[in-house]
Amino acid sequence: MTCVNFDLSNAKMSFIWSEESGAYTDSSGAFTSSKNPRRLKIPSDSLEALTTYTFKVIGFMTDSPSINNSATIEVIVEQQDVVALITGGSYQQYGRDSSFTLDASNSYDPDESAGSFTYSWYCEADATTDASCADLTLMNRVNQSVPLNTLPVGDYVFTLMVVKGSRNDTAQVDIEIVAGAPPVISIAALTSAKYNTDEGFLSVESSISSTYSFTSIWSADSSDVTSLFVDSGSYVSTLSDQLNIVIALSILTEGNTYTLRLTATDSEDESSYSTVSFTINEPPSSGSVEVTPINGFALDTSFTFTATNWVDDDLPLTYIFGTTGVNDDGSLDTTALSPFGDERSDASYDGVTLSVGSNITNYTVGCFSEVIDSYGAVGSATTSVRVRTKALTVKQLQNISEAKARDSIDKNDADGSKQILDATSKGMKSTNKKGGSSSSSSSSVRTLLRSGVRSLLGSQTDEEILRASMLSNLWATYEITTITIGDVASLLSNLLGIVDTPSEVTYDVASGSHYFLQTILRATIGAQIGISTTSIEYVGESLTYIFETKWFNETQLESSSINAKNVTNVLSLTSSAQLYNAYDGVGYTLKYGDIDMYSYRTATSTLLGDKTISLSNGGSSSDSITSLYFNADTSDLITASGESSLVSTDLLDTKMYTLSTNLYSAALKGTYNSPAASASRLDLTGSDLNGQVLFSEPMVIRSMPAGMFQVTLAATVAFNTTFKAFDRTFACPTDGVTIDLNCPLTSDSHTCDHTAFGGGNPYYFEYTCPYVEPTCLYWDETTMDFEGDDCTLVSGYSTDAVTCECSRTGTFVLSGNTTQPVFEAFSTPSPTSLPTLSPTSVPTHIPTPVPTYTPTSSPTYVPTSSPSSLPTIAPTPLPTMEPTYTPTSLPTLKPSAAPTLSPTLKPTSHPTPSPTSKPTNKPSVSPTLSPSLKPTTSPTFSPTSHPTFPPTLFPTTSDTASVNIEISVTATGTPTATDETKLKATIVNQTGVSASQVKNLVITSSPVVRRLTVELKDNSRRLTGYIWTINFDIETDLSTSTEYSSTTDFASSINTQLSDSTFEANILSALPSVSSIDSLTTTANTRHPSFQPTNSPTLSPTSVPTMKGQNNGGGSSDAASTALIITLVVVGSLLLILSGMVIHKYFFLDPKKTGQVAPLPPQRSSSPSRANAYVAKGTEATTTTTTTVPGEPLTEDDLAGMLGQRETAEL
């Protein structure tokens, strides 16, 4: 006998499996293909019932095979019960005048053992009704036919017994026979006795036959959940005219039984219904999980997990162990589970390595166990332990991690290796980083060489080297891991720990991590196992961190395009894994970090028949704008894709996602953090939807009929939809004059040229200023650039939503471009000597809210509410409401409402309603309607300086305090009449004055234009808002005021009240379009009483005479004196008016006399000159006076800054 002194602690072992009885043939390759030879996994349905198997394993030292040992185990396979099923539903209703068939063909043997079923049918009539089974002949076969008029109206119970060998089972169905021949309904039998909430969805199929046309509706009987049907990703309480439906299991209650009812009504108003019931499984319960010891050290202590005292009827039970997240308060986050691996039959798990806990939570580490019954229901329990770490430098942590991970890998212990990697990633957050250097050790070099790292090692930090080592070991761990749902979640958890600090992730680690994601997802699809919600979150979180690494922020165009393609691949694979085994009409979401994705499966006929799918359909996205619209038939899609075998019942997968990271940063000149969206379909054709069809390439669409495909994108910068703000109309009465067009985005102007535009005459013109219009672009892989040929803008876009109609699929981008200006001139002849009886065919510009100080160059469409100080050059089409101060050179087409102070040079076409003060040189065409004016009863003794339009009833006797207020605000639109009403009410409420004291309220607005970014051209601008200038007066009578002793007191009080923060808050609340108050200015004025008469008379007498000029003798006025005074007043007024006319004619209206237009006094601007801009996200907006060259389209640089929501679609 030879004793071998051999240290086996780190020796590598190999294993050989076999079955000794010969009953098992390893056709699946389970003995040789396992990634972890320590475990033998026999595929389901590989063992025969009522058979005993003996499995043997031989373990030996890989380097010394003579050192070996063996073990055996017997496996006895028991027989399962057969299952009897009756198609059609648990309750069925048929007409006496219709035949029907009871179908037992869905009955099955779970063991699929040799032999055949025998079937027996039994009929029982309800004695309380007229039901009778006497005329029915029952046959012992799989289908039982019931001819029409065989069963009387009433209730029946049909029982089926199926027998196979010594096993049997029964099923029952309630049948109601009704009069007539209503539609015949059949609901397919459900294949399981119980369903689990975490299975997601349940599909129910049915058929309806009827002689007449019919409608149908699904509903639920006495359900504790109101909306359990799935419709386009949403949950609804009923579904109409759908034979096949999907139920959302995740929202149902464990242990409850649910009954679904399908009702059909034909055109003859006859109806029938059938029901089907199912039960939600209850998970294992009453158990707990224990972890020992309760204190330990990371990467040192060996922990044991044990699940105890679990109870369930559906045996056997299996177990999953792992760790949970821990909140800052020390509570466990049961939504963040990291399993060690897949299900295991042992209720205990020893030799576990745990990661260090956070010092914030006193080093608490959460632990969990999940217990699964034979139907898949999951019960869980949690506990916690405290795990500290020894003081280690990053290098020391790397050495320990490398040794332990490689030891587990050499032993084919995938779960052990994953535990080491998890402990290492969390341990990095508590290492002593001062103790290490940035140089590379030889062992680190060897590790990195195994992973194919090509970076310059000498320039890497210890943290970067450790993360590279972890990724290398993760790849090695994957090679020995069996792909299961739990193992995939565990591997993705490890990957997240490697990339969760982007600043420590090198180019190669980021690239390798991204490729690892693709590899794991492909393996998941290949194993046909689906993917868990936990894994989906790990994918989203890992991608978000990778987006922040140096690798992904590559500035070269080629690298940027490759990165974008890699992300598209990962999300396509994730979508396919989510939709594995999904039913028609089911959707899933991925909402984490930078990614917002919705994946949806539907039949081709449903998708293409005028269908819209929105990103918000999944319920987790707040984006209600991004959507896809399909409007075509199957033949269109066949033509576009070349898939000639495509039929209307084939399933299509659609995915749509937005990213907060720009995939094409280099192509768009560095517009980082701009959102993108993508949409694509994966064609799932063929009968076996669970087979290799899932690996097929996505259907590529390069050409589609117009209108077949539309994508609606969300804009991050609001587009302008108020196009009138860019329209201008001006007149050119004088040749050579340059007119500033006041365009919001450009500094356009026009120089009048009578020869070029007016045929030698004055003219007017209409001008549309350039504005930013949305542009639909797509990424062309061939040209490596964005193109716009195959996408057009759909009219009717809003400020934040733009629809693009495309004839292809791919990567779409919503951008913007400045339009070309539009100029059109209209020649007008000189004024006629006499007015025309009808207006001109082309109108002129719109009037200002208040008259200008100087006349406009051309008349307004409609007259202003009050006359201007000087007449317009040409007459207005309609008379002004009140006469002008001086007459126009030509009469208006219709008489004014009141006579002018002096006659016109030529008669009007129609008489004025009242006679003029003096007769005209020529008689009017028609006589006046009323006689001349009557003399006033008592004249004023002195004229007023200016006539009052309506005189005051009494002269002023006290001081009036007036405060003028000017407020400048920033708003998103122009003011409306409603805004003015709300503003006045807010002012009244804030100051406490009455509405009558707020006078002369005027709101003017000007557009705000800003530059895009400092990197872009100076002429790149956008309209982002408006500046409102609000001007009004508040007055009070100091003689009656008990609150204010002077104008200063009154002005100070008003200023204090309007400067209070509550005023701004109230303004912002009342006026939603106002975003801020920029400035507030108050000016105080005092109007003193005037007891002296005015210099010129009022247009009508005052009811009370002024103090001067009264007859103090107490007698009445002398008639002669009165007549003389009236004569003097009239003559004096006429002289003043005629003098004004002469001055105006020679110094204002006749440029030949002076050579130029006489200057007028400068007027106060109604609002400050401002500019605003479209700015890229994250770019500071700056005020500027430089604007774009008129009509110049934006370049790619400009597109980058104005880029709104970018969205990608791949079909």
Side-chain angles (χ1 to χ4, degrees), residues 1011-1018 1179-1180 1182:
R1011 296 168 63 180
L1012 275 171
T1013 59
V1014 295
E1015 293 87 353
L1016 302 179
K1017 294 182 178 180
D1018 289 340
T1179 304
E1180 181 179 358
T1182 56

Side-chain angles (χ1 to χ4, degrees), residues 726-930:
F726 295 86
D727 293 338
R728 303 286 184 269
T729 302
F730 291 95
C732 270
T734 305
D735 205 13
V737 174
T738 298
I739 300 174
D740 184 1
L741 302 180
N742 296 318
C743 290
L745 305 182
T746 58
S747 55
D748 296 3
S749 62
H750 174 73
T751 300
C752 296
D753 189 334
H754 289 183
T755 302
F757 303 110
N761 297 314
Y763 62 93
Y764 77 93
F765 63 90
E766 294 178 349
Y767 189 86
T768 301
C769 296
Y771 58 89
V772 177
E773 182 180 58
T775 304
C776 301
L777 304 174
Y778 67 89
W779 177 255
D780 192 317
E781 292 289 349
T782 304
T783 62
M784 299 286 285
D785 202 356
F786 283 99
E787 308 289 349
D789 297 340
D790 293 334
C791 283
T792 58
L793 180 68
V794 177
S795 61
Y797 61 86
S798 65
T799 57
D800 58 354
V802 178
T803 299
C804 305
E805 183 173 281
C806 304
S807 59
R808 59 173 293 153
T809 56
T811 300
F812 295 104
V813 168
L814 176 59
S815 185
N817 202 358
T818 52
T819 60
Q820 295 287 346
V822 178
F823 172 89
E824 189 173 8
F826 301 90
S827 178
T828 57
S830 300
T832 56
S833 57
L834 292 176
T836 58
L837 298 180
S838 59
T840 56
S841 59
V842 181
T844 54
H845 202 38
I846 58 174
T848 56
V850 293
T852 55
Y853 292 99
T854 58
T856 57
S857 58
S858 57
T860 57
Y861 280 117
V862 293
T864 56
S865 57
S866 57
S868 55
S869 302
L870 295 176
T872 57
I873 297 174
T876 57
L878 298 175
T880 57
M881 301 300 295
E882 300 177 23
T884 55
Y885 291 105
T886 57
T888 57
S889 57
L890 295 175
T892 57
L893 299 183
K894 294 182 180 180
S896 56
T900 56
L901 299 181
S902 59
T904 57
L905 299 179
K906 295 182 180 181
T908 56
S909 303
H910 300 281
T912 57
S914 302
T916 56
S917 303
K918 292 180 67 178
T920 56
N921 295 330
K922 296 180 180 180
S924 57
V925 179
S926 303
T928 58
L929 300 177
S930 58

Side-chain angles (χ1 to χ4, degrees), residues 604 608 632-643 646-648 705 708:
T604 303
L608 298 181
D633 55 30
T634 306
S635 62
D636 292 329
L637 190 58
I638 291 174
T639 302
S641 65
E643 297 283 344
L646 187 67
V647 296
S648 61
M708 172 179 166

Side-chain angles (χ1 to χ4, degrees), residues 490-501:
S490 183
L491 290 168
L492 291 174
S493 174
N494 286 151
L495 179 68
L496 177 60
I498 294 173
V499 299
D500 65 357
T501 308

Side-chain angles (χ1 to χ4, degrees), residues 596-598 612-618 621-629 655-659 675-679 710-716 800-803 812 814 1204-1209:
D596 189 355
M597 181 169 76
Y598 177 63
T612 299
I613 302 175
S614 300
L615 189 63
S616 58
N617 284 154
S621 175
S622 58
D623 183 353
S624 59
I625 294 176
T626 304
S627 62
L628 300 176
Y629 169 73
K655 73 172 177 298
M656 177 188 325
Y657 59 83
T658 60
L659 302 176
S678 164
Q710 292 181 354
V711 56
T712 299
L713 314 177
T716 56
D800 58 354
V802 178
T803 299
F812 295 104
L814 176 59
Q1205 178 114 345
R1206 267 196 312 287
E1207 312 218 348
T1208 306

